[in-house]
Amino acid sequence: MCGIVGYIGERQAYPILIKGLHRLEYRGYDSAGVAMIAANKNLNVFKCKGKVSDLEKFTEGKDKSGNIGIGHTRWATHGEPNDVNAHPHYSQSGDIVLLHNGIIENYASIKENLEKRGHTFRSQTDTEVLVHLIEEIKEKDNIKLSYAVIAALKQVVGAYAILVMDKNNPNELVAAKKGSPLVIGVGEEEFFVASDASPIIEYTKNVVYLDDEQVAIIKRNEELKIRNLKDKDVTPYVQELEMELEAIEKGGYEHFMLKEIYEQPRSIRDSMRGRLNADKAIVQLGGIVDYEPKFLKAKRIIIIACGTSWHAGLVAEYLFEEYARIPVEVEYASEFRYRNPVIYEDDIVIAISQSGETADTLAAIELAKSKGATIIGVCNVVGSSIARATHAGSYTHAGPEIGVASTKAFTAQVTVLTLMALHIAYKKGTIIESRYRQLLYELDAIPEKVERVLKLNDKIKHIAEIHKDARNFLYLGRGYSFPVALEGALKLKEISYIHAEGYPAAEMKHGPIALIDEEMPVVVIATKGPNYEKVVSTIQEIKARKGKIIAVVNEGDKEVKKTADYVIEIPETDESLVPLVSVVPLQLLSYHIAVMRGCNVDQPRNLAKSVTVE
Ligand code: G6P
């Protein structure tokens, strides 16, 4: 995690850095720092615990001038979040400063050797070790900063995006990456560096995405140069950003999360655009077309993901098994990668990730790849590490998701996976034509149904008000609604810090029922489908134990209404598409509860948008 930003050009760097850090704050927000070289050659470094706004206060009245600078917003890995551990970090002499996103895994042994050679360290971070090593190499070998960076990185095990600046050379920034993302904006006689394009977009649309093990030498009034760790020059590939500025702004909403919840009718539509023609019963997924034969022959699909993406994977399990008749295993990437899993060459591995950066998912992909499996990506961030590590894939096209709690990315993932499962089923002949057509029509109608759910906002807010002080929540669902129960519980705990558990409704009697009393709100997804009657029985069991029932039902439901304390009526859809509609009220419920509890909805404590470390 962590956000990196840098500037070199004619403008004042500080305002660009601060604005950029605000945009990158979703990546980490426990401390922040900036460094600028002023015209008088002073290196001014300001860093402190807290958010970017705390850093702004901290720098008030101080010399922030300079048209070269670097900035960082941190999600702590090594060393607690405090002023000293905040980035940038200094070299031994204090002349070189460096910021880092990722983990230097072998930092302890490098540190030990540096200490033996007289280095002293100010912080507990792995990052500081790297900047000391760079300076030592630079001085010992009397080489330029960029060469010293390359030499140092050859000794490093781990993941990184780094940005380095030398007080003695105010005309150069050096950036490098492996695993963690880094993008360079190429303006008119100016350059921008950032962890993603959001801090750059208002200045230039021309960007270069660094590849792993590449080092960018960014000099004032010179062309951008890139070298790789094999000491070869690489021609920078400048591409035009497709993103618009509005996509990364709040657009009048109080929080990004609310904006993103409300964007879902559009984002679901975007994820189907050019792929679904319900009238002609055509599904086209251009990104996986070359791998269709492998899909059709696959004896097994393994889905790897983390967090919310893992929940989307569970929905996909039901879809692929029901319609394409392919056995599916859904794995936490972090478990999969370390348990010596059995992987066959004819396995299809689907890796799901919003950010395309999650370290565990990336490592699980590499493992599966090394065993010869075919890896299909379902990512949101175009050009991300996971998207590039997979053999093929389908982007979700949900647009930038900035709120840390994932909402529109989930529904876009489920939409793309639904298209994939139905398409493969149709090609395999495991679904009859009429059912296939019916499902495509239903899928096409989902955005309009989500629109209707959003109109229930006031009612959901009212339910939130009543339950905002609860200490625990239980979420129950069966079949396709079980992953939704998990996702609903995750949303609530992520942003409101209320303990919440998701359970398959029928499992309730094997444990969670012991927790139920008049203090326990139980959210039950009880939409029409083959399990409806059984879920109604579960609701009775909860009621008998005085639990408070908040039921998500279909419009016009009469049965559940008799028992539930509160009902949220959502439009009816096919059972296998219910998650796309039923998750929306649960997102809104969590959102309102968190706001009412005074929580920072977009930046919940201890979390970060993408987890680029183990
Ligand atoms: C973090 C985020 C979650 C996300 C998970 C997986 O924990 O806070 O919202 O679901 O990572 O991220 P990915 O980008 O791989 O989907």
Side-chain angles (χ1 to χ4, degrees):
M1 261 119 346
C2 304
I4 288 179
V5 62
Y7 176 77
I8 180 166
E10 294 305 315
R11 309 180 207 221
Q12 283 298 302
Y14 177 80
I16 295 169
L17 299 179
I18 286 294
K19 201 168 187 186
L21 289 180
H22 277 297
R23 294 237 166 98
L24 293 175
E25 216 168 3
Y26 72 88
R27 303 180 65 84
Y29 33 82
D30 57 45
S31 49
V34 285
M36 286 79 49
I37 305 175
N40 61 8
K41 300 261 175 73
N42 276 354
L43 172 67
N44 292 312
V45 178
F46 307 111
K47 51 184 194 166
C48 63
K49 184 181 170 176
K51 298 192 183 281
V52 178
S53 53
D54 296 306
L55 176 68
E56 281 181 276
K57 279 186 214 120
F58 179 67
T59 59
E60 269 168 26
K62 297 184 174 139
D63 180 9
K64 305 183 283 274
S65 66
N67 44 29
I68 176 169
I70 60 178
H72 189 265
T73 176
R74 180 171 187 243
W75 186 85
T77 58
H78 295 63
E80 66 169 277
N82 60 26
D83 298 354
V84 177
N85 289 332
H87 299 215
H89 288 285
Y90 299 93
S91 61
Q92 180 73 28
S93 72
D95 285 356
I96 301 177
V97 279
L98 179 146
L99 343 144
H100 170 217
N101 169 27
I103 284 191
I104 312 291
E105 285 171 18
N106 58 339
Y107 86 103
S109 61
I110 300 176
K111 188 172 185 177
E112 202 182 309
N113 289 330
L114 286 166
E115 276 170 339
K116 281 187 195 143
R117 299 196 289 270
H119 286 254
T120 49
F121 294 90
R122 299 170 171 93
S123 76
Q124 297 147 331
T125 64
D126 51 338
T127 306
E128 192 183 3
V129 173
L130 181 57
V131 67
H132 276 243
L133 181 64
I134 290 170
E135 184 176 67
E136 187 184 77
I137 294 172
K138 181 175 178 292
E139 286 177 359
K140 190 159 67 68
D141 298 348
N142 194 20
I143 52 177
K144 288 183 185 161
L145 178 64
S146 56
Y147 289 100
V149 168
I150 290 174
L153 291 178
K154 284 181 187 171
Q155 298 184 33
V156 159
V157 178
Y160 53 79
I162 59 165
L163 190 54
V164 197
M165 184 170 79
D166 181 355
K167 175 185 172 175
N168 304 309
N169 185 0
N171 295 314
E172 180 185 62
L173 292 173
V174 178
K177 84 145 232 148
K178 184 183 173 194
S180 308
L182 211 56
V183 52
I184 299 167
V186 183
E188 293 281 325
E189 302 190 340
E190 60 184 353
F191 293 100
F192 306 82
V193 185
S195 298
D196 72 26
S198 61
I200 298 175
I201 188 162
E202 64 193 275
Y203 308 106
T204 176
K205 286 205 158 185
N206 297 326
V207 295
V208 175
Y209 286 93
L210 274 195
D211 268 333
D212 278 355
E213 306 207 331
Q214 288 186 345
V215 177
I217 302 126
I218 309 161
K219 289 192 178 168
R220 199 185 296 282
N221 304 326
E222 281 191 28
E223 301 264 295
L224 175 67
K225 285 200 193 70
I226 298 179
R227 278 179 87 74
N228 62 24
L229 291 196
K230 296 195 177 92
D231 300 305
K232 293 252 165 19
D233 287 331
V234 180
T235 310
Y237 168 57
V238 182
Q239 49 182 294
E240 201 174 317
L241 282 177
E242 283 177 15
M243 197 194 332
E244 295 300 330
L245 191 57
E246 303 83 70
I248 53 166
E249 291 186 331
K250 278 193 205 146
Y253 287 91
E254 203 185 331
H255 296 100
F256 279 112
M257 182 180 176
L258 189 62
K259 177 189 173 220
E260 287 155 8
I261 292 172
Y262 271 82
E263 273 175 350
Q264 288 177 109
R266 183 201 51 73
S267 55
I268 295 172
R269 176 71 61 212
D270 284 349
S271 66
M272 299 192 283
R273 197 177 303 285
R275 293 170 167 170
L276 171 64
N277 184 330
D279 289 335
K280 294 191 176 147
I282 295 174
V283 174
Q284 274 175 314
L285 290 168
I288 61 161
V289 96
D290 293 345
Y291 287 84
E292 253 173 48
K294 293 211 167 186
F295 248 118
L296 299 180
K297 278 194 291 186
K299 294 199 184 58
R300 178 172 72 154
I301 293 174
I302 302 173
I303 296 179
I304 47 178
C306 304
T308 289
S309 298
W310 187 80
H311 295 156
L314 287 181
V315 179
E317 175 183 25
Y318 287 71
L319 289 161
F320 272 103
E321 293 204 339
E322 177 166 2
Y323 297 115
R325 307 304 298 152
I326 306 173
V328 180
E329 285 167 30
V330 189
E331 302 267 3
Y332 287 113
S334 53
E335 287 298 313
F336 180 79
R337 63 182 286 199
Y338 285 120
R339 64 169 175 74
N340 195 13
V342 178
I343 304 166
Y344 301 112
E345 285 192 2
D346 56 2
D347 281 339
I348 294 275
V349 173
I350 302 179
I352 310 172
S353 176
Q354 186 286 128
S355 62
E357 281 184 52
T358 305
D360 284 321
T361 309
L362 201 50
I365 289 171
E366 295 306 339
L367 173 69
K369 235 188 190 172
S370 72
K371 307 277 182 203
T374 299
I375 324 289
I376 304 294
V378 175
C379 292
N380 194 36
V381 177
V382 177
S384 56
S385 302
I386 291 176
R388 278 180 289 144
T390 49
H391 292 111
S394 298
Y395 282 116
T396 46
H397 296 308
E401 190 182 65
I402 293 166
V404 165
S406 189
T407 52
K408 65 173 180 172
F410 173 79
T411 45
Q413 287 165 345
V414 172
T415 305
V416 168
L417 290 160
T418 307
L419 287 171
M420 216 179 259
L422 293 178
H423 178 63
I424 298 300
Y426 186 66
K427 290 268 166 170
K428 272 189 82 175
T430 48
I431 185 170
I432 56 165
E433 174 97 21
S434 56
R435 178 83 178 114
Y436 177 65
R437 282 181 177 269
Q438 180 200 8
L439 280 162
L440 295 189
Y441 269 120
E442 279 296 331
L443 190 58
D444 202 35
I446 291 290
E448 182 264 327
K449 292 184 179 174
V450 171
E451 197 91 60
R452 272 157 59 191
V453 176
L454 294 171
K455 298 214 167 85
L456 303 173
N457 185 44
D458 287 345
K459 173 155 202 194
I460 295 168
K461 202 169 171 180
H462 174 67
I463 298 173
E465 177 72 51
I466 295 165
H467 296 96
K468 66 178 191 311
D469 298 319
R471 297 186 56 208
N472 299 287
F473 260 78
L474 196 57
Y475 286 72
L476 303 175
R478 276 189 92 144
Y480 285 92
S481 295
F482 163 52
V484 178
L486 293 180
E487 177 57 11
L490 178 65
K491 282 293 84 76
L492 188 71
K493 63 188 144 200
E494 277 179 316
I495 59 170
S496 74
Y497 319 138
I498 296 174
H499 169 245
E501 274 192 64
Y503 245 81
E507 276 291 302
M508 186 194 67
K509 50 191 171 302
H510 298 292
I513 199 164
L515 301 170
I516 292 173
D517 59 17
E518 59 276 13
E519 308 263 290
M520 175 71 99
V522 187
V523 178
V524 189
I525 302 136
T527 48
K528 289 275 159 53
N531 294 317
Y532 177 74
E533 296 300 338
K534 295 188 197 331
V535 176
V536 172
S537 305
T538 303
I539 289 174
Q540 303 287 359
E541 289 161 15
I542 300 164
K543 194 69 190 169
R545 284 151 188 93
K546 299 195 169 59
K548 293 279 169 291
I549 296 152
I550 303 164
V552 177
V553 297
N554 285 130
E555 287 165 350
D557 180 287
K558 294 203 173 58
E559 191 68 27
V560 175
K561 255 190 201 154
K562 289 184 211 152
T563 324
D565 297 272
Y566 308 92
V567 290
I568 301 169
E569 293 182 66
I570 63 170
E572 201 167 329
T573 183
D574 193 277
E575 211 233 343
S576 29
L577 306 179
V578 161
L580 290 166
V581 186
S582 60
V583 75
V584 178
L586 306 192
Q587 296 167 344
L588 284 169
L589 184 68
S590 313
Y591 170 80
H592 289 302
I593 290 178
V595 171
M596 287 166 190
R597 288 167 70 95
C599 301
N600 187 336
V601 173
D602 283 337
Q603 294 167 357
R605 71 181 179 208
N606 304 339
L607 298 179
K609 185 73 187 150
S610 60
V611 182
T612 55
V613 295
E614 276 193 52

